[in-house]
Amino acid sequence: MITRRMGLLATLLVLAPYMAAYGQWISDAASNNAICREGNYQRSPRLVSDGKGGAIICWADERAAAGVIKVYAQRIDKDGIVRWPVNGVVISPALSKQLKPEIIADGAGGAIIVWTDTRNINTDIFAQRIDSSGNVLWTAEGVPVATGSSEQMDPQLASDGQQGAIVTWSAHTNTAQDGHIFAQRIDSNGNQLWSPELTLSFSDQFESRPSIASDGNGGAYIAWVFYNNAAYDVYMQRVTSGGAQMWTNGGVGIAIDGGPQDSPMLVADGTGKAFLAYYDWNSGSRPTLHVAVVNPDSTKAASLRVTSSSGGQTNPQLSNIGPGLLGIAWEDGRVSGKTRAYAQIIDNTGKKSWAADGVAVTNRAGSHATPFVIPDGNGGIIVSWEDQTTSIIESDIFAQRISSAGALLWSNAGVAVGTAGRMQTYPWMCSDGAGGAIIAWEDYRLSFSNPDIYASRILADGSFPLEAPTLALSSRMVDFGTVSVGFSSTRNITLTNTGDLPLNIASITSSHPQFTMTPDNTTIPPNGDVEAVLRFVPTSKGTLNGAIVVESNSIHSPDTIFVTGKATATPAIEVDKRSWNFGSVPIGTRKSTVLNISNPGNDTLVISSITASNPVFTVAIASHVLLPGAAFSDTVYFSPTVPGPASGELTVTSNAPTSPTLVSLSGTGSEATVVTLTIDPGAITFGDVDLGSHRDTTVTITNTGNDTLRISAFTCSDSRFTLESPLAHIAPSATRDFTLRFTPDMIGPVSSVFIVTSNAVSAADSIVVQGTGKEVVSVRPTHELPGAFALHPNVPNPFTSVTSIPYELGIFAPVRLTVHDALGRVTAVLVDEAKGPGVYSAQWSPAQAVPGVYFLVLRVGTEVRCQRMLYMR
C-alpha cells in the first residue's frame, strides 16, 4: 500500500508543472498557453480551425535528438484545453528529417498535413491525416505523395472538398535549371488518385515556388515561378478533380511583364476565381506588391499594384474574407529605416476598399514583421504581426482588428498578445469562429537558440477570454496516519479557484463514509480560495484507502482527493470489586457474590480465564467475550471446608493491556449449626428467545442444613425474569424445583439476578440469569439488499493495450463507469446509461493516453466504487 501511495504522489509531482500551462486560455500576455516545450527546437507553426472554435497546430520538432526532426501536432479547444497528449502527438515516427509542414482542415474536425521527408535519402513529400482525437488515420509513418531520385521541395496543399487534398510541389536534381512543378490528389484514405502524378511545367528551364488554392469545384489553381533564361515570370494552371489540366500545357503566363516577377501566393476568392499576389522587380532592388484576379478560363479580371508608395513591399499574406473579397497584409518600407505593417481589402474587380495605399495596422514606432491576416467574420480583417518596437531581440506578438470601413478597432496601437522575454516571432492565425482569433508563434522566452510553440486566443472586442473556473487543490493526497476507532482526525487543505469566474461546488462524495470533507463555502470567487476540513472517523480496525470526489463547474471536474488512514483499537477491562470478604459461612455451605466486569475500550475484550488461587473460591463463568461498551456479571462462591479464616486471589486473564486483573477474596469457615442451602444452577442462560414468546427453566434448591429452610421471597429487579412457582418451605436434606421464565420485550442481551431471601445463613442468595431477545425473522430465502453492486478488478492489470472491467448490478439503476487519470480528470466515459440487474463487462483501450496510474470509478445511483489500474507501454 505504501508503494501505491508513493507512486501516485510521484505522478502528481511529475504532472504539477504542466497543470497551469495546459488547462485553459491564459489571459496574461506575458504567460500565454504553451503548446510544446520540449528539448531542442520547435519551429514553423501552422494552424487551422478544428471546426469547433479551437485550432489544430502542427510544427517541426527536434526533441528526439539534434538533426532528428519530426512533425508534431496538437489540438487546443475553444476553452484553451489541449485535447491531445502534452507537447503534442507525432505525425510520423519515421527516423528522418521532416521539414516545412503545411496543414489544411479535412472538413471533418481533423486535418491533413504534408511535409518534406529525408527517410529515402533524397527529399520526398509525405502526408498524414489526423482526426479530432489526435489519432493518425493513414499509415503510421505517413503516405508518400512524391518520391524518387529528384529532390521534392516546397509542398503546398488545398482541400479537394471531399476530405482529401490536392498537393503541389517542385522537384529538381542538383544541376541548375531543371526544376519542374508537379501535383497529386490524395483521397480521404490517403490513396493517390492521379497516376501518374501531374507534370504542370516541362520546359528545359527552372520552375519553383508553387502556390495552390481551391477552384471551388473540387479542383485547384496552382501558380509558380518560371525562369525563362532572362527573368522570372509567374505562371498558373488550373486542374480538375480528375487530374485534367484545363489551360495550355505548361501553364499560362499571368505576370510576364518586362523584368522579373516572382513569389506567387494564391487564395480562392470564394466565387470560383482566384486572387494572385506576387512581387514585381521592375522598379529596381525593392519589389512592389501586385495582385491579379484570375478567372476560371485563365483570363485576368483585374490586375493592380497594391500600393504606389515607395520603399518596397514584402512578406504578403492573403485571406479570402468573403465572397469575392481579398484581405491582404504586408511589410511596407515607405518609412525609411523601418518596416511597417499595412493592410487592404480588394474585391474581385480590382477595387480597393480603403485608402489607395492601404491602412497602417498600428501606430507603434518600431518595425513590424511577418504580418498575418484572417477574416473577422463581419467584413473586416484581423492582422497579427511581430512587433520589434522594443528591439529585434525583444520582439512581441501584437494583433489588430480593422473594420470593413478601414477603422482600427483595437486601439491605434493594437493589442499585445505575446510579450514574454526575448523574441516571439512568425505569428500564424485562424478564426475562433466568434469574431476573434487563435494565434500561434515561435517563442524564444527560454532560449535564443531553441524556440518553443506558444498560442493565445483574442476575442472579437480585443480582450482575452476570461479564464474558466479551475479548481486547484493544495493537496490531492491526504494521509491521516493512525487513528483510534471511535475517535477522529482532521486535515486542512486549500481549494483555490485560479479562473476569472466563480467556481461553484455542486457535490462532494466519498467512496467510504469514514472519510468526509467540508469546505468553508461552496462558492469560490475568481482567483480566491476557501479552506476545507477533511475528517477520518474510523469504525473498525485496519487500513482504509478511499477517494473524495468534488463535482463543480471547474473545467477539470470532477476533482479527486485520494485519502488513506489506519485505524487502531484497544480493549480495556473494569471490575466493580477489587476485594471482597464473604464473612462467616458454615462449613459445607456456599455463599456467593456478583462480580461485574465491563469493557470500556474500543476493541473486543477476550477474557480467556478467571481462576482462583484457593479452591474454596470458585466462579460461575470462567471465560467470556465482551464487545466494546458491553458488560456481564459473574458469580463468585466461597465454600469453606475447614473452620477458620481463608483467603485467596481471583485472577482475570484477558487481552487488555493491563491484564491480569486481580481481585482479593477472604472469608471464614464456621461450624455452627445453621440452615444452609444450595442453588443449582447458580447461573442460568436462557439463550436466544423470540420476541413475543418465553422460555422456562428449572432451578433446584436443596436444604443442606439441619433445620427447615423457609424461603420468604424470590425476586428479580428485571420484570422480564419471573418466578412461575409458589414459595415453599424445604425440610432438611430435601429439594424443591422452581420454574424461572424469561420473556424478552426487546432485541439484544439481558442479564439480571434473582435474590432468594430465606432463613439460611447465606441469605440473601442469588441466581445470575442471562438471555437474549431475538427478532422473529421470515423463513423465506434472503435476498441481496436492493441496490447492491460490485466492481471487480480489471483484467489484465497492469495492461499495455486494452483491459476488461467486469461489474455486477443487483437492481435497475443509472450506471456511470469512468476512467480518471492521476489528477482526477476524466480520461474516458465507458458506461453512462441505466442498466438492469446482471453481470456486465466494459473495455478500455487508452489509445493516446499517457502510461501511468488510472482509476476506475463505478457510480450506481448515489453509491460509488473505485479501484486502481496501471497502464504500461
Side-chain angles (χ1 to χ4, degrees), residues 633 686 714-724 740-755 767-773:
S633 299
F686 286 88
F714 206 129
T715 58
C716 180
S717 60
D718 192 323
S719 62
R720 287 166 286 199
F721 299 97
T722 56
L723 173 68
E724 299 300 315
L740 304 183
R741 175 170 293 174
F742 172 47
T743 306
D745 60 1
M746 60 178 287
I747 298 172
V750 181
S751 62
S752 189
V753 178
F754 273 94
I755 305 298
I767 304 169
V768 176
V769 288
Q770 294 180 340
T772 301

Side-chain angles (χ1 to χ4, degrees), residues 464-639:
F464 295 97
L466 290 175
E467 296 183 25
T470 303
L471 181 60
L473 303 167
S474 61
S475 176
R476 288 185 178 270
M477 173 170 276
V478 175
D479 190 340
F480 288 92
T482 301
V483 181
S484 183
V485 171
F487 293 86
S488 66
S489 177
T490 60
R491 298 288 188 273
N492 291 344
I493 67 170
T494 302
L495 282 61
T496 302
N497 175 14
T498 61
D500 295 327
L501 296 171
L503 186 147
N504 299 311
I505 298 173
S507 66
I508 298 174
T509 57
S510 175
S511 60
H512 297 85
Q514 293 90 334
F515 296 110
T516 59
M517 186 177 87
T518 305
D520 289 345
N521 200 312
T522 56
T523 298
I524 309 177
N527 300 297
D529 56 59
V530 300
E531 294 298 311
V533 177
L534 282 80
R535 187 179 301 275
F536 176 42
V537 185
T539 57
S540 60
K541 290 191 301 181
T543 298
L544 190 64
N545 300 297
I548 294 176
V549 178
V550 181
E551 296 272 3
S552 70
N553 61 335
S554 168
I555 60 173
H556 297 310
S557 181
D559 291 271
T560 301
I561 305 166
F562 299 99
V563 287
T564 185
K566 182 179 181 181
T568 61
T570 304
I573 187 170
E574 286 186 359
V575 295
D576 66 341
K577 297 181 178 69
R578 285 292 183 172
S579 63
W580 184 252
N581 190 329
F582 285 90
S584 179
V585 179
I587 296 171
T589 64
R590 183 175 68 175
K591 189 176 182 180
S592 64
T593 189
V594 174
L595 179 67
N596 295 305
I597 302 175
S598 61
N599 175 13
N602 55 13
D603 198 6
T604 301
L605 175 68
V606 179
I607 300 173
S608 57
S609 65
I610 303 175
T611 59
S613 60
N614 190 328
V616 298
F617 300 103
T618 57
V619 294
I621 302 173
S623 63
H624 200 72
V625 175
L626 283 176
L627 296 177
F632 83 105
S633 299
D634 201 356
T635 303
V636 183
Y637 302 102
F638 173 44
S639 305

Side-chain angles (χ1 to χ4, degrees), residues 154-382:
D154 300 321
Q156 300 290 316
L157 76 166
S159 173
D160 67 356
Q162 299 184 47
Q163 299 181 9
I166 298 174
V167 185
T168 186
W169 67 94
S170 64
H172 62 85
T173 65
N174 291 326
T175 61
Q177 302 201 0
D178 64 345
H180 297 295
I181 306 300
F182 297 87
Q184 177 61 270
R185 182 181 171 201
I186 303 174
D187 69 12
S188 61
N189 296 314
N191 301 308
Q192 295 183 7
L193 297 182
W194 298 342
S195 182
E197 61 197 16
L198 295 186
T199 303
L200 302 181
S201 65
F202 47 81
S203 74
D204 59 356
Q205 305 305 310
F206 183 73
E207 293 92 18
S208 64
R209 298 287 299 273
S211 181
I212 189 170
S214 172
D215 69 354
N217 197 34
Y221 294 101
I222 301 174
W224 63 88
V225 176
F226 169 60
Y227 181 68
N228 62 10
N229 283 332
Y232 288 99
D233 294 323
V234 175
Y235 272 64
M236 283 182 63
Q237 179 63 272
R238 182 183 173 200
V239 298
T240 69
S241 61
Q245 300 186 48
M246 301 187 69
W247 299 344
T248 302
N249 286 345
V252 173
I254 302 298
I256 56 175
D257 300 332
Q261 293 86 37
D262 63 12
S263 302
M265 181 176 288
L266 277 174
V267 67
D269 84 331
T271 70
K273 300 177 183 180
F275 289 107
L276 170 69
Y278 59 92
Y279 293 161
D280 189 301
W281 296 85
N282 282 322
S283 61
S285 60
R286 294 181 179 180
T288 58
L289 180 60
H290 289 248
V291 167
V293 182
V294 183
N295 292 316
D297 63 359
S298 81
T299 62
K300 289 189 285 187
S303 181
L304 68 152
R305 184 176 172 183
V306 173
T307 175
S308 61
S309 59
S310 61
Q313 300 88 43
T314 56
N315 286 332
Q317 285 293 327
L318 285 65
S319 179
N320 173 225
I321 66 170
L325 291 176
L326 170 70
I328 183 169
W330 66 91
E331 293 179 13
D332 195 296
R334 69 184 71 180
V335 177
S336 178
K338 307 282 187 181
T339 60
R340 297 295 175 85
Y342 275 75
Q344 181 65 270
I345 292 178
I346 302 170
D347 69 17
N348 60 7
T349 68
K351 180 182 177 182
K352 298 178 181 179
S353 296
W354 302 337
D357 291 331
V359 171
V361 302
T362 179
N363 65 0
R364 288 182 62 79
S367 288
H368 318 137
T370 61
F372 198 90
V373 62
I374 62 170
D376 71 352
N378 196 33
I381 61 174
I382 297 174

Side-chain angles (χ1 to χ4, degrees), residues 375-465:
D376 71 352
N378 196 33
I381 61 174
I382 297 174
V383 181
S384 62
W385 69 93
E386 174 188 339
D387 192 282
Q388 299 172 356
T389 298
T390 302
S391 76
I392 195 170
I393 61 171
E394 287 290 339
S395 59
D396 300 318
I397 303 299
F398 272 70
Q400 177 68 271
R401 182 180 175 192
I402 308 176
S403 74
S404 59
L408 304 184
L409 299 179
W410 293 346
S411 82
N412 290 335
V415 176
V417 176
T419 60
R422 300 193 176 99
M423 301 179 294
Q424 286 75 50
T425 63
Y426 301 110
W428 209 267
M429 288 194 297
C430 72
S431 172
D432 67 355
I438 295 175
I439 310 174
W441 63 87
E442 290 182 13
D443 197 298
Y444 292 80
R445 68 183 66 186
L446 299 180
S447 167
F448 271 125
S449 58
N450 291 315
D452 298 315
I453 307 298
Y454 277 76
S456 185
R457 180 183 175 193
I458 189 167
L459 302 180
D461 63 358
S463 66
F464 295 97

